[in-house]
Amino acid sequence: MTDYAWLSEVRSMVGREYGRIYAWDEVNPAMVRQWCEAMGVDNPLYTDPEYAATTEFGEVVAPPAMLQAWCLEGMHMNNYPPGSTDENPYEVLGLIEAQGYPAVVAVNSELTFDRYVRMGEKLYYTTLIKEVSEEKATALGTGFFVTQVMSFFSEKPEGDEKVGELMFRVIKFKPANQPKPVEKSESAVPKIKRPKPGISDDTRFFWEGCEAGELRIQQCNSCNKLQHPPGPVCSHCHSFELGYHVSKGSGELYSFVVMHYPEVPPFDYPNPIGLIQLDEGVRLPAGLVGVEPSALEIGQRVQVEFHTFDDEMTLPLFRPVSA
């Protein structure tokens, strides 16, 4: 294969060892228990102190397969404990990507253990760039195998002790034949419609009211009280004699949420949804229109308006109005 000039910088990184990445917490039984629960591991050596006391270890120990978990950054990327290196052990991959090898065709890893890890130990690991292969040809394209080795240690006053090792290998490759996108006419792409609400005998009056431009709220004919969502019986007096009241559709924003993710077509995002307190005293959830999500405020006045979607479904939405 061709020996590119830029490979000299990549190969100069082989043998480089990056500094320590520390664990946030000491090895502890709470995290061991949660890991075992999540992974379906029921070995009492890891979670039962009475049983573990009868073994050669004399106490519970951490599952070996949990080794990598102790030094993970958590929910936020690169959020490592104080004292950890700020060097980037993956910069070699970035150099290869920059030369037109952006894809990953395969990865593999091997986790080996020197001994069990005990409660109270504090771990860290270092990363070694072990190898960058010659350019290899695959059925999908050409690329480079990059092998890294993470060595895990336990901090000891008498000298840190190695407890395990993780070998991680990835191939960064350049796709050989990229298929051309198939052009489709707009008419060939099916239009995604809004999901229709479930309509029953108890709620049909409400949706028929929307089609007629009326916000109908269920009302008991016995006690005259209102309720929403509609039900088969009055929640106040338990009467089955139910009708409806046509609301003026005015009220205030009792609460709201702004949906950002996941984005589900055909809805627009960000998608503000409000819980509306009608002047008649009942609350109902509905979409909000005509407002920037950042401008929403609890208590602001709103007014209903009816929007028809897909030429077949009319929904009550609420627009903020001036005081």
Side-chain angles (χ1 to χ4, degrees):
M1 292 291 181
T2 305
D3 193 7
Y4 305 106
W6 56 267
L7 272 176
S8 59
E9 182 181 3
V10 171
R11 292 198 175 110
S12 69
M13 295 183 174
V14 175
R16 177 178 177 180
E17 187 171 33
Y18 291 80
R20 300 180 179 185
I21 296 293
Y22 287 97
W24 274 105
D25 303 285
E26 295 179 346
V27 177
N28 63 84
M31 291 177 66
V32 168
R33 176 181 55 79
Q34 293 172 358
W35 187 91
C36 289
E37 185 176 318
M39 301 301 292
V41 175
D42 57 5
N43 189 335
L45 177 61
Y46 307 141
T47 56
D48 187 343
E50 292 185 3
Y51 171 82
T54 67
T55 70
E56 60 182 293
F57 303 101
E59 61 177 347
V60 293
V61 293
M66 193 181 175
L67 182 61
Q68 185 185 11
W70 295 111
C71 296
L72 295 177
E73 64 262 55
M75 298 297 292
H76 304 286
M77 184 175 294
N78 298 324
N79 181 35
Y80 294 110
S84 299
T85 181
D86 57 2
E87 298 174 311
N88 179 13
Y90 301 104
E91 60 183 338
V92 62
L93 301 180
L95 292 175
I96 296 174
E97 288 176 359
Q99 299 300 324
Y101 298 81
V104 175
V105 67
V107 300
N108 74 293
S109 63
E110 296 176 4
L111 193 58
T112 57
F113 319 102
D114 292 17
R115 66 166 174 82
Y116 281 91
V117 177
R118 296 177 178 268
M119 300 301 113
E121 292 193 85
K122 192 66 179 291
L123 305 183
Y124 68 86
Y125 73 87
T126 60
T127 302
L128 172 71
I129 307 300
K130 184 176 181 180
E131 182 183 9
V132 176
S133 74
E134 300 295 329
E135 189 174 24
K136 303 292 185 180
T138 72
L140 298 178
T142 59
F144 298 86
F145 287 94
V146 179
T147 304
Q148 297 174 300
V149 176
M150 291 80 163
S151 297
F152 289 80
F153 297 86
S154 173
E155 290 186 300
K156 300 284 185 181
E158 64 275 15
D160 298 345
E161 180 183 2
K162 187 177 178 182
V163 296
E165 184 177 278
L166 172 66
M167 185 282 292
F168 179 76
R169 181 178 292 118
V170 59
I171 178 171
K172 300 295 293 182
F173 82 107
K174 179 188 301 182
N177 297 309
Q178 301 187 34
K180 296 181 179 180
V182 179
E183 295 184 1
K184 294 183 179 180
S185 63
E186 293 186 4
S187 60
V189 180
K191 181 181 179 181
I192 299 177
K193 296 183 178 181
R194 286 207 176 205
K196 293 182 179 180
I199 299 177
S200 66
D201 291 340
D202 298 322
T203 63
R204 184 168 288 106
F205 77 93
F206 178 84
W207 299 110
E208 290 177 347
C210 291
E211 293 180 2
E214 296 179 348
L215 185 60
R216 298 175 180 176
I217 304 299
Q218 193 170 51
Q219 183 176 37
C220 177
N221 294 333
S222 297
C223 68
N224 292 324
K225 291 186 177 180
L226 303 176
Q227 66 179 17
H228 190 85
V233 64
C234 176
S235 61
H236 303 283
C237 70
H238 308 297
S239 171
F240 289 91
E241 301 298 322
L242 300 171
Y244 63 82
H245 163 78
V246 178
S247 169
K248 295 180 180 179
S250 56
E252 65 180 36
L253 192 58
Y254 183 83
S255 183
F256 68 90
V257 63
V258 179
M259 299 294 297
H260 293 272
Y261 184 84
E263 295 188 357
V264 179
F267 299 97
D268 295 325
Y269 289 86
N271 184 14
I273 307 294
L275 181 61
I276 311 302
Q277 170 106 18
L278 294 175
D279 291 341
E280 290 88 348
V282 297
R283 298 173 190 158
L284 76 160
L288 301 172
V289 295
V291 65
E292 287 294 327
S294 59
L296 290 171
E297 294 181 1
I298 300 297
Q300 67 185 132
R301 297 292 296 174
V302 292
Q303 179 65 44
V304 74
E305 55 185 53
F306 296 92
H307 291 229
T308 301
F309 299 92
D310 306 321
D311 298 324
E312 57 184 7
M313 179 175 61
T314 302
L315 300 177
L317 305 180
F318 284 80
R319 182 183 298 271
V321 296
S322 58

